[in-house]
Amino acid sequence: MSSRAAATARIVQQNSIIVLIALLVALAGLIEVIRPGAVNANWVSNILEFAAPLGILAAGQTLVVITGGIDLSVANVATAAAYIMASQAPFGVTRGIVAGLLVGVVVGLVNGVGVAVFRVQPLIMTLAMGLVVTGTLNVYSQAAVRSVPGVPAVIHTLGSGTVLEYVPVSLFLWAVLAAVLIIGLRGTGFGRLLYALGDNQEATRLAGVRGWQVLLTNYMACGLLSAVAGIVLAGTVNAADLSLANILLLPSVAAVVIGGTSIFGGSGSYSGTAVGALILTVLNSVLTLLDVPDAVKQVLYGAIIVLLAAAYTRVLGRD
Amino acid sequence: MAAAPNDDSLTDSGSLLEASGLAKHFGPVVALRSADLRVRGGEIHALMGANGAGKSTLVKILTGALTADGGTIRLGGRARTFRSTSEARKAGLICVYQDPSLLPDLTVLQNLILTATPISSFRRYLADLGLGGFDLSTMPRELARPTLSLLDLARALAIEPQLLLLDEITASLPADLTSRVFSVARQLRAEGRSVIFISHRLAEVSALCDRATVLRDGKTVGVVEPAQGGEERIVKLMLGPVAEEVAAEAASPSTPATGAVAVEVRDLKAGTLNGVSFTLRFGEVLGVAALEGQGEKELFDCMAGVRRPESGQILVGGKARSFGHPADAIRAGLVLIPADRLQALLRQRSVRENIALPFVNRIARWGPINPRREKRRVATAVKRLQIDTRVTSEVRRLSGGNQQKVGIARWLAGGFKTLLCFDPTRGIDIGTKRQIYGLVKELAANGSAVLLFTSELPEIQLACNRVIVLFGGELVDEMPASDADERALLRAAHGLPSEEGE
Amino acid sequence: MATAAAAAPRTSGIRFGRAARRYGWTIAVYALFAVLMVVTLIIKPDYGAFEWNTLTLAALPLAFAATAQTIVVLSGGIDLSVGPLMALANVLALRAMLGHDLGYSLIVALIVLLEVTLAGALNGAIIVLTRVPDIVITLATSFIWAGLALLVLAKPTPGVPFDFQNLAQGSTLSAWIPNALLLLLVIPLVWIPLRRSRAGLAIYAVGSDRNAAFRSGVNLGLSRVLAYAVGGFFAACGGLALSMTTGVGSPLAGTYYTLSGVSAIVLGGVSLAGGRGGMLGPVAAAYILSLIPAVLIYLGIDPNYGQMIQGVLIVIVVMIGGLGVVLRRA
């Protein structure tokens, strides 16, 4: 890599979050140009409301991708958590929420055991667990639930309520989680170890770290965050059906990639992912405004991920 | 496919291969500064040099696996640049590497088809090498290393190369197979073809080669005829300034340490390592001298908890310990500096995070990091090692020497009792080497125990108080550093009296 | 000579051991399938040609999906867009075939094969040129192919010409040799010549050991693109198989086949690390995965258990595989 390219790389790397925010603002500007007056407090409120579940889902994904893995079961877990929360809520909302979160923890535990102890490739392990979760959920819904469960009022408020007219309630939850993640990744031993494992597992082992403990915990954290995202999403759309969050699997990975976290592991941040989730949500809003059919939206999503990933790889390069 | 074995136009011009001024760098690391190499037709030519001198880079450039940043290659008088190994192959240049390049998951026959190797010719050479009637449907995955080397060699020979490069092929061969390789090389020479032979073993070079080109720090420093008592010159050329350093150091003989026993190893067996016992004391640097593959790797791995021994004991402070994970060894105070720096480092992370990694290696330390305390500990280690960098920059942007210093600084900051240095100066410039050896001695003087393996035998005297020599997985000799000059070590490391012995 | 003799195993005993080591997993997969069939016959004594035909129809698209994934995985990659590629082939075929005769349909089929093969090659080319990991690229292109499929056909539409459907649905030779079984012959017809060629060996080579492949003169980039292209071809076969077996063009049919295809190759003994495995295992695995829901129905169990069982089966299989690695390391 030439020194100029290296310098560019460093600038982009240190300021990637600014580039991303600029992109976000540009997209909002585009909306304003297309439909003057569209960008108002109400619009911002809506964007934040819809970005929150994706942002939380992508938070778990970020944790796993930093370690060099990937979790393809996040969407299934989110769906299952929301469904089970809703179906258990009639016996008590707390019971419902705990049951939903438990789904995430248990699936995360199994994923973690597979990846960390049995050394199964994360892609395969989480793919298979996704199947197990969805299959089990289908069976559960047939056997135990008579009708599509409704979402309890508390969750509905959490997902789509607002404070001071414009500030979504879910934003508070998202902000707290984001703060914990951003600070935790930088300033705790556990965060350090995630980056270390993603960078070089062997080196981490030689430094005396028992990597399996870290990975296992991390997959559980990812499962828990996925469950939270599912519950929030159920509140946002005010429904908990059997395919609630499934469309969010690919966006959860896309938000991480757009946010600049290396899919090889070892670098990245949650702040990037959070902006990535916002960009995806705004992009969706732009495309909806332009009356772009869903099909074209998908094609564009795909193309954008390819371009961004290629750009990151080119600029940041792995020598 | 086969080129004519005798091409008079080549021998007329004197040189079959003329490489001059070849240079190559990888990022900040200069692998090759200016290498010259002239090989005559009908010659076996040795390429010598210490680790990191640039031999492998030169070989890769000659065979098209890498392209040079500068310099020229002339083959049979014509300037050539090879963009791929297959181009070099077509021109009659082929290399057999120490690690065989047969694909493990294809059968031998499929490997031949993949490389468009003539099968009858392959079989003939295989028979020459003593593997007549070999079953071609075998998969390399199922074969032993020496057999793979022979197969790889036969495959190279089968295309009837003009110039055959043998890169440390004898390192993994037992003596009887080595002699077969030699006779094949001599046969090529008799046919007017040429061989470039790379080996650490001086005895092999003087027995086989007509001339030797010596590289040091990426430069050609001389061409010698080893047969006529040139061995001494080769050694001198290879060592360069370090030889003088050794002489200077020898003036202040290091005294045998009398500290308490730090680690005792009893009858340790693992892989090649076949029952080794010794003690390591606090306050001493114990050298391990060995040619590659004599069990030294296994010894260090067992002591560092990287692998489990098959039998035997490691006693730390008089108590037998069983290390199932490096974490166990670290807790017992034994820490490893591996030869491959990148094996121990997080390339994308900052110097600080790399040094601070052991601080967080237990669940109890997963919580918040005290940044001020961490900064202070890291800064102390960085200062002590004179690591030349801003602490926040990525480790992958540092030079090799500075990377290795980061690897050591980690343990200075993290704390240890016994330092296990496995070839810590491989491919590092001489200035940094001196610093590292100086540090190692200083650590011992301050009461630590150090076990040091270096593949560069002359450097043993630079740092050690005492030396043990491994050969064939066994401890064959032990001497104070004052007696451990290169000649003595080389003899012992070759398992003399019988150099051919196993 | 001692080394040579040890290195060249010649006795039949060793040969047998070697065959068992090399093909053990494949044999086990077929044994598992046989056991499942026996169980099926016990559960459902009147299991006949009709049920067998149904099974071959269900397994056909999955077998192609598994084949497509196998080739890519052998080259050391992964293709998460296999399902959407199948869907794309499926809807392209329906759009062009609607209301035409067999001859016209066959020409359409050939064009669709070509188009989707190119789409697969594009996957590979993007991966090689951008050097972005295969997972990310094929995840992204899976959006693109799925979106294109939706553009071609907005919702599931019947209308695949009957003559074309009958290529898979009938039993021309004998009741127990349904056409859907015979169509599997496309796999060896393409695969065997490829495997024997240098290009095919190069695919194994890049997946097995990139460094050694490079030293052996293999063009790494080209071989990888070829693997993705052949993967695309088989995905197209899978899409056409969907057209034949269902008679419907469905833009959303894909997702299931990406996941199940990966499941089938894991169960079929293809190493996800690349370079090891063949086609026999994954095809049998496709049959096993298709048989499970049928068995559940025969047992009177909710077929929804099928997905769960499939997932659990994969988890167990990969954990056993992983355990082997862990034990070898220790």
Side-chain angles (χ1 to χ4, degrees), chain C residues 134-156:
Chain C
D134 35 33
I135 293 183
V136 177
I137 292 295
T138 56
L139 199 61
T141 57
S142 74
F143 276 73
I144 297 179
W145 311 135
L148 288 178
L150 275 170
L151 281 180
V152 174
L153 205 65
K155 60 181 195 302

Side-chain angles (χ1 to χ4, degrees), chain A residues 10 13 187-190 192-193 195-196 199-200 202-210 213-214 217 265-267 316-319, chain B residues 306 325-328 330 336 342-349 353 356-357 360-361 363 365-369 374 394 396-397 411:
Chain A
R10 229 163 300 149
Q13 209 165 21
T188 67
F190 186 74
R192 284 285 175 79
L193 292 177
Y195 289 109
D199 189 300
N200 187 342
E202 178 62 16
T204 314
R205 190 169 102 97
L206 285 179
V209 178
R210 294 179 200 271
Q213 298 169 337
V214 182
T217 313
S267 74
L316 302 181
R318 273 176 77 89
D319 46 1
Chain B
V306 174
H325 189 280
D328 300 330
I330 290 166
L336 175 72
L342 296 179
Q343 195 190 334
L345 294 179
L346 314 172
R347 288 156 38 99
Q348 303 170 68
R349 309 308 301 173
E353 281 191 42
L357 185 56
V360 293
N361 64 4
I363 292 185
R365 299 170 181 169
W366 281 4
I369 293 169
E374 178 185 286
E394 285 177 33
R396 64 172 162 176
R397 307 204 186 282
W411 297 118

Side-chain angles (χ1 to χ4, degrees), chain B residues 89-108:
Chain B
R89 238 179 89 142
K90 279 188 194 120
L93 253 80
I94 191 160
C95 183
V96 183
Y97 294 91
Q98 180 184 1
D99 47 326
S101 42
L102 290 158
L103 286 150
D105 298 311
L106 299 180
T107 65
V108 173

Side-chain angles (χ1 to χ4, degrees), chain C residues 15-177:
Chain C
R15 262 176 192 281
F16 179 78
R18 193 174 75 186
R21 245 196 335 276
R22 270 191 211 169
Y23 307 112
W25 191 289
T26 308
I27 294 165
V29 172
Y30 277 84
L32 177 61
F33 178 55
V35 168
L36 270 175
M37 281 307 288
V38 170
V39 170
T40 309
L41 287 173
I42 293 168
I43 297 166
K44 188 175 168 63
D46 60 340
Y47 191 92
F50 173 77
E51 285 80 5
W52 172 241
N53 190 6
T54 310
L55 175 65
T56 58
L57 284 172
L60 186 63
L62 181 53
F64 281 123
T67 311
Q69 195 65 265
T70 300
I71 291 184
V72 174
V73 168
L74 282 176
S75 77
I78 190 136
D79 189 348
L80 298 182
S81 73
V82 165
L85 280 176
M86 282 173 67
L88 184 60
N90 171 249
V91 295
L92 282 171
L94 180 107
R95 250 325 250 277
M97 283 177 188
L98 206 60
H100 287 279
D101 63 359
L102 180 62
Y104 188 90
S105 301
L106 286 175
I107 292 167
V108 167
L110 281 178
I111 295 170
V112 167
L113 283 174
L114 185 69
E115 286 169 339
V116 177
T117 303
L118 285 176
L122 193 63
N123 273 343
I126 296 174
I127 291 165
V128 170
L129 292 178
T130 62
R131 292 201 263 164
V132 176
D134 35 33
I135 293 183
V136 177
I137 292 295
T138 56
L139 199 61
T141 57
S142 74
F143 276 73
I144 297 179
W145 311 135
L148 288 178
L150 275 170
L151 281 180
V152 174
L153 205 65
K155 60 181 195 302
T157 312
V160 176
F162 284 112
D163 287 340
F164 190 69
Q165 289 188 38
N166 283 337
L167 291 178
Q169 297 209 340
S171 300
T172 316
L173 289 183
S174 119
W176 283 96
I177 309 177

